[in-house]
Amino acid sequence: MKNQNLSIVLAGGGTAGHISPLLAIAAALRSAVPGARLLAVGTPAGMETRLVPAAGVELATIDRVPFPRKPSVDLLRLPARLAGAVRQSGRILDDASADVLVGVGGYVCTPLYLAARRRGIPIVIHEANTRPGLANRVGSFLTRHVATAFDTTRLRHARHVGMPMRREISGLDRDSARAAAREALGLDPVKPTLIVTGGSSGAQSINRAVAASVQALAAAGIQTLHITGRGKTVQGPGGGPLAAEGYRQVEYVDGMELVYAAADVLLARSGAATVSEVAAVGLPAVFVPLPIGNGEQALNAAGLVNAGGAVLVADRDFTAQWVASQLIPLVTDADRLAGMAANSRRLGIRNADQLMADLVLEAVSV
C-alpha cells in the first residue's frame, strides 16, 4: 500500500479539548501525505459538527454512548447501546476502507476502537490529559501506538509527544507579533497587559474576582482584556456591561494566537490545551484550575508550575485580595516574567502534530 492512498479515520469530539488536537493531527497528515483521504467521526450533538467541517474535514457521526458512573437504568442499557455504536462504527470504517484509526478520546472513541480491532485496522491514540479518559484507557489495551501530551500521563505503551496544536500557535513568535496583536485587540501597545479567559464557556468565579479588581489593576498601570465567554458579559453597578479605565471585555476572541502574542500574563483555567500552548509559545501564566471534576486541571498545570513557567492558585483562593497581593506584582515585574517565559519555552513542544503524523505512518507500516 502506498501512503498517498491512505484512508485515515480520526475519532473524537464533544469538546474543543478533543477537537483541536484532532484537527491539528489532520492538518499534519495532509502535509505529510497530500493524497490521503481523511474522515473524522464524532457525535451529532458535539462541537465537532461545526468545527470539523469548517476546517475542511469530512465528518460522520455515531450515537453518543456515555458510560454511567453509578448503577442505573442507563447502565443496564449500556451493552445494547454500545453494541449498536460498534455496528455503526464498523460501517463507517468499512465504507471509508480505513487503513488506520486515530483516536483522541471522548465518547465516540470506544466503539470505534472496538470496531477497528475486530477488523485488524491499526489504532493510534493521543491522550491530552495527565489523567487518561476511559476511552483511551480501553484503547491502550488494543494498540501499542499510544501518545500523550504530558510526560506524567500513565497509560500503557505511552510515548510523550506533546499536544498537537494549530501552526498559527506552534509557530508563533510573540515578540515580533506583539504590536500587531495588541492593535487587533484594541490594546495599548506598551502598557503591561493582562489577558483573562475562562475558555469558550467562561468561568464565573474568575470573572467575579477580576471585575472586583479593575480599579486596582488600572491604578497599577495594567491594562486588562477580559474574555468573559459567550453569554457571560460582566455587568457593572448600573446594570450595563462593566466599563472602566484600562479594562476591556469581549465574549470571545477568534484566534488565540492573538491573545498569546498580546499578553504579558495569561490568567486562565488549566485545560490541557491551554497549558501546552502557553508552554509552546513561552507565555507566563496564572492558572486557576476548575474546582470540579477529578482534579485533572491541577495535574495538567503541575509540570509547568514546577518548572517555574506558571503560577497556580486554587479557585477558592482567587479573590480580589489575591489579585492585589500576588497578580499585580507579577504583571508589573518584567524580570520575573522574562524568567517565567524562558522556563515555559524550555518545557514547550511545538511539533507534536508532526510527531503524531509520524506515529500514524509508523502504525500503517508495521
Side-chain angles (χ1 to χ4, degrees), residues 101-135:
L101 171 67
V102 183
V104 297
Y107 293 121
V108 71
C109 282
T110 302
L112 276 154
Y113 291 155
L114 295 173
R117 178 59 179 258
R118 288 180 181 177
R119 287 159 174 77
I121 296 170
I123 299 168
V124 179
I125 292 172
H126 183 271
E127 173 55 53
N129 288 296
T130 50
R131 185 168 283 166
L134 177 60

Side-chain angles (χ1 to χ4, degrees), residues 65-68 73-84:
V65 184
F67 285 70
V73 174
D74 284 339
L75 186 60
L76 296 176
R77 294 172 178 162
L78 177 62
R81 294 174 68 183
L82 181 59

Side-chain angles (χ1 to χ4, degrees), residues 30-58:
R30 277 180 168 161
S31 296
V33 192
R37 290 172 287 134
L38 302 180
L39 173 68
V41 184
T43 65
M47 294 174 67
E48 59 269 27
T49 57
R50 176 174 55 89
L51 297 177
V52 170
V57 178
E58 183 182 355

Side-chain angles (χ1 to χ4, degrees), residues 64-238:
R64 180 178 179 271
V65 184
F67 285 70
R69 304 294 181 182
K70 298 178 181 179
S72 65
V73 174
D74 284 339
L75 186 60
L76 296 176
R77 294 172 178 162
L78 177 62
R81 294 174 68 183
L82 181 59
V86 171
R87 287 192 295 272
Q88 288 179 309
S89 300
R91 287 193 292 271
I92 288 171
L93 294 171
D94 292 342
D95 291 345
S97 299
D99 295 307
V100 60
L101 171 67
V102 183
V104 297
Y107 293 121
V108 71
C109 282
T110 302
L112 276 154
Y113 291 155
L114 295 173
R117 178 59 179 258
R118 288 180 181 177
R119 287 159 174 77
I121 296 170
I123 299 168
V124 179
I125 292 172
H126 183 271
E127 173 55 53
N129 288 296
T130 50
R131 185 168 283 166
L134 177 60
N136 282 349
R137 293 203 305 270
V138 171
S140 70
F141 285 89
L142 307 178
T143 180
R144 291 183 176 274
H145 303 288
V146 179
T148 64
F150 296 100
D151 60 1
T152 53
T153 301
R154 296 290 169 257
L155 201 58
R156 285 170 58 92
H157 311 304
R159 65 182 82 175
H160 178 218
V161 302
M163 177 72 79
M165 60 190 73
R166 292 186 300 115
R167 295 289 176 87
E168 291 86 351
I169 293 173
S170 63
L172 179 67
D173 182 332
R174 290 181 59 234
D175 291 337
S176 63
R178 181 174 294 111
R182 289 190 177 179
E183 182 179 3
L185 295 173
L187 298 170
D188 185 283
V190 296
K191 279 188 175 181
T193 301
L194 171 69
I195 299 186
V196 181
T197 176
S200 59
S201 59
Q204 293 283 33
S205 59
I206 292 177
N207 289 353
R208 284 193 298 270
V210 171
S213 304
V214 293
Q215 303 298 337
L217 288 161
I222 297 168
Q223 64 179 336
T224 303
L225 176 63
H226 190 176
I227 307 169
T228 62
R230 295 191 188 279
K232 301 283 180 64
T233 298
V234 176
Q235 303 299 315

